[in-house]
Amino acid sequence: MTMLFAGVLAFAVSLVVGRFLIPALRAMKAGQSIKEIGPNWHMSKQGTPTMGGIMFMVACVVAVAAFGWRDIAAGDRSALFVLAFALLYGAIGFLDDYAKIKKKENTGLTAGWKFLLQLAVAIAFLALLRLEGHLSPSLYVPFLNVSVSLPWVVYLVFAAFVVVGCVNAVNLTDGLDGLAGSVTLPVAVFFAVLSAWWDKGAVGVFAGALAGGLLGFLVYNFYPAKVFMGDTGSLFLGGAVCGMAFALDAPLVLVPVGVIYIVETLSDILQVGYFKLTHGKRIFRMAPLHHHLELGGWSEVRIVLTFTGITVAFCLLAFVGVMYRYSV
């Protein structure tokens, strides 16, 4: 029940923060710059306030503080670690968004700086989880119900790149009104349910808070969006998703629950690679996949609902694949 209460509180906080944040962002002229290479009708979104991810970030902080303190006092600080981890990624996104606003174009921090900052945060987080006993250098394989032991250094390198890749995949998915938030909502619910099933209540509080905060944010972000989450929000979400998976010591579950993130990223990689190999030919009308479907006549709402439905199905499948890990 605690995670449910955390979700309800986060939903309310996100709604209230949004009422004040959106006018404030407009007053600050914190508008999104739209890439000219995107679908031409997206240019109508130019100037829509960005950095709206602050809504669910604040909501998560408040809800975890309100309902996670008992676990923290009892010595289980996993929710606090995941929250801090996600906030650090949100801070990197904020720096990126701020740079874009200052330059009034859709380029912020350089790719090199973003990668180094993200990698450093990932390594620090993983080392902390290991030190606190929440993470083992063994890869639990869903469905097979087996674990593969690895040397810690090998696991750390692998895990750090998984985190950075996943975070940027979530960021890439944030390309339509409500898309990243709607896809991540069932993922948050999945981790809340899994935390309860595995008796890992602390992570469940964070997961419930994230689900509630996202639901409140989507009131403003679903098509037509009154505000975008920006890199501030999308990097926070990426950190949150990865953080929960690693805090539960089940990173490979990211494959099924993050299927949309993966497909979106692969579509972009394939497009770029094929374009270079063939000197100008394309596999998709435009990458990532959501733009390909847009140019094929799909509405933003249809794409969002379809991608969310696929995520729900894969989250259910993932739960079947991991539910017997522990005796319950």
Side-chain angles (χ1 to χ4, degrees), residues 193-216:
V193 173
L194 186 62
S195 298
W197 187 262
W198 284 354
D199 196 22
K200 308 280 188 179
V203 176
V205 169
F206 176 83
L210 181 63
L214 276 174
L215 197 58

Side-chain angles (χ1 to χ4, degrees), residues 1-57:
M1 289 298 291
T2 305
M3 63 185 69
L4 180 60
F5 291 145
V8 172
L9 177 60
F11 172 72
V13 171
S14 191
L15 277 181
V16 172
V17 171
R19 292 291 298 270
F20 296 96
L21 179 64
I22 295 174
L25 291 172
R26 286 202 189 100
M28 292 166 55
K29 301 189 183 324
Q32 177 72 45
S33 296
I34 304 298
K35 289 183 179 179
E36 295 182 2
I37 60 173
N40 53 23
W41 56 86
H42 279 210
M43 296 307 294
S44 63
K45 301 180 182 186
Q46 184 89 10
T48 301
T50 188
M51 296 193 290
I54 292 171
M55 290 181 211
F56 49 79
M57 292 167 69

Side-chain angles (χ1 to χ4, degrees), residues 10-11 50 55 61 98 112 131 172 186 189-190 204 224 271 283 289 305:
F11 172 72
T50 188
M55 290 181 211
V61 171
Y98 184 75
L131 185 65
L172 189 65
V189 173
F190 164 81
Q271 183 84 325
I283 300 174
L289 182 62
L305 293 179

Side-chain angles (χ1 to χ4, degrees), residues 178-179 182-187 222 256-257 259-260 298 301-317:
L179 181 57
S182 295
V183 167
T184 305
L185 178 58
V187 176
F222 202 78
V257 303
V259 62
I260 292 299
W298 286 40
V301 172
R302 182 184 177 187
I303 295 169
V304 169
L305 293 179
T306 300
F307 282 18
T308 304
I310 291 170
T311 301
V312 169
F314 273 84
C315 283
L316 291 172
L317 182 65

Side-chain angles (χ1 to χ4, degrees), residues 47-134:
T48 301
T50 188
M51 296 193 290
I54 292 171
M55 290 181 211
F56 49 79
M57 292 167 69
V58 172
C60 285
V61 171
V62 172
V64 169
F67 293 102
W69 63 270
R70 287 183 179 174
D71 291 308
I72 296 169
D76 186 351
R77 295 177 290 180
S78 53
L80 193 61
F81 295 153
V82 175
L83 176 61
F85 177 61
L87 286 172
L88 284 172
Y89 270 104
I92 296 171
F94 177 83
L95 292 174
D96 199 33
D97 283 333
Y98 184 75
K100 291 175 185 176
I101 292 167
K102 289 287 287 184
K103 292 191 288 186
K104 298 189 183 302
E105 57 185 55
N106 202 37
T107 53
L109 295 175
T110 63
W113 269 112
K114 280 194 283 190
F115 175 76
L116 288 174
L117 287 170
Q118 290 175 13
L119 188 62
V121 172
I123 291 172
F125 172 69
L126 294 165
L128 181 61
L129 286 183
R130 173 71 170 150
L131 185 65
E132 291 282 325
H134 297 295

Side-chain angles (χ1 to χ4, degrees), residues 207-227:
L210 181 63
L214 276 174
L215 197 58
F217 171 72
L218 285 169
V219 171
Y220 303 104
N221 181 242
F222 202 78
Y223 183 86
K226 299 179 182 67
V227 67

